[in-house]
Amino acid sequence: MKKVLIIQGNPIENSYGRQLAEAYARGVAESGAEVRKLVLAEMEFDLNLSAGYKGKQPLEPDLQEAQELIAWADHLVFVYPNWWGGMPALLKGFIDRVFLPGFAFKYRKNSPLPEQLLKGKTARLIVTMDSPYVYYRFYLGQPGHQMMKHSILKFCGVGTVRATNITQLRKMPEAARNQWLERVQRMGRKLA
């Protein structure tokens, strides 16, 4: 049975991102797979990796649980808004604090490439934005997606990383928002 972890990274309570995460979770439950959720806005932790990788910064209980759930999961789903071309500070701080050496990757002696400790996992990004997709992709070069896919997830060994872009959200009519919720639920049902 596949195990899915949904990481909801929108810091705004009752956001559309939260609705999307819930829709995906419903779909996963309908498929018969196991699903767990992390709502970052409800967790208590310091966003700042204050000593970098040189010092010891104890993980708060919520971050210890997050590492356990990431290790447990086969498929990671990140749901978050695109702000200024990338993820909100809450999600970035979470990644900085959780995807640590010894957990997500390990430095190797005499090699510039790390040992990837999250091998075998897959991921999906469900990203909302007000920008048109063409502008984000072709003019900006998808900086947030590039960072998540390559600099973070693939660096740590996460294999296939797919992205779903829900664009021009600010102008989107309610009917279209509801269609997206249905589509995301179907994605969860297919474990895609």
Side-chain angles (χ1 to χ4, degrees), residues 105-115:
F105 67 95
K106 188 184 331 182
Y107 293 116
R108 294 192 286 193
K109 198 171 191 171
N110 301 320
S111 175
L113 301 175
E115 181 180 341

Side-chain angles (χ1 to χ4, degrees), residues 71-84:
W72 165 85
D74 301 310
H75 186 60
L76 305 171
V77 180
F78 294 85
V79 183
Y80 59 94
N82 180 317
W83 292 347
W84 292 107

Side-chain angles (χ1 to χ4, degrees), residues 80 82 84-87 125 127 136 140-150 152:
Y80 59 94
N82 180 317
W84 292 107
M87 66 187 78
L125 313 177
V127 183
Y136 181 68
L140 296 179
Q142 303 184 98
H145 289 10
Q146 295 298 324
M147 181 171 65
M148 277 295 283
K149 284 181 174 184
H150 301 288
I152 298 169

Side-chain angles (χ1 to χ4, degrees), residues 41-102:
E42 295 175 356
M43 296 171 61
E44 292 185 25
F45 63 95
D46 182 359
L47 295 176
N48 187 21
L49 182 62
S50 57
Y53 295 152
K54 295 181 182 188
K56 286 286 185 186
Q57 184 176 0
L59 290 180
E60 294 86 346
D62 282 348
L63 295 185
Q64 291 173 10
E65 179 185 8
Q67 282 189 338
E68 291 168 10
L69 288 172
I70 291 167
W72 165 85
D74 301 310
H75 186 60
L76 305 171
V77 180
F78 294 85
V79 183
Y80 59 94
N82 180 317
W83 292 347
W84 292 107
M87 66 187 78
L90 176 64
L91 179 55
K92 180 64 168 69
F94 172 82
I95 289 168
D96 286 349
R97 293 290 316 283
V98 170
F99 285 65
L100 296 170

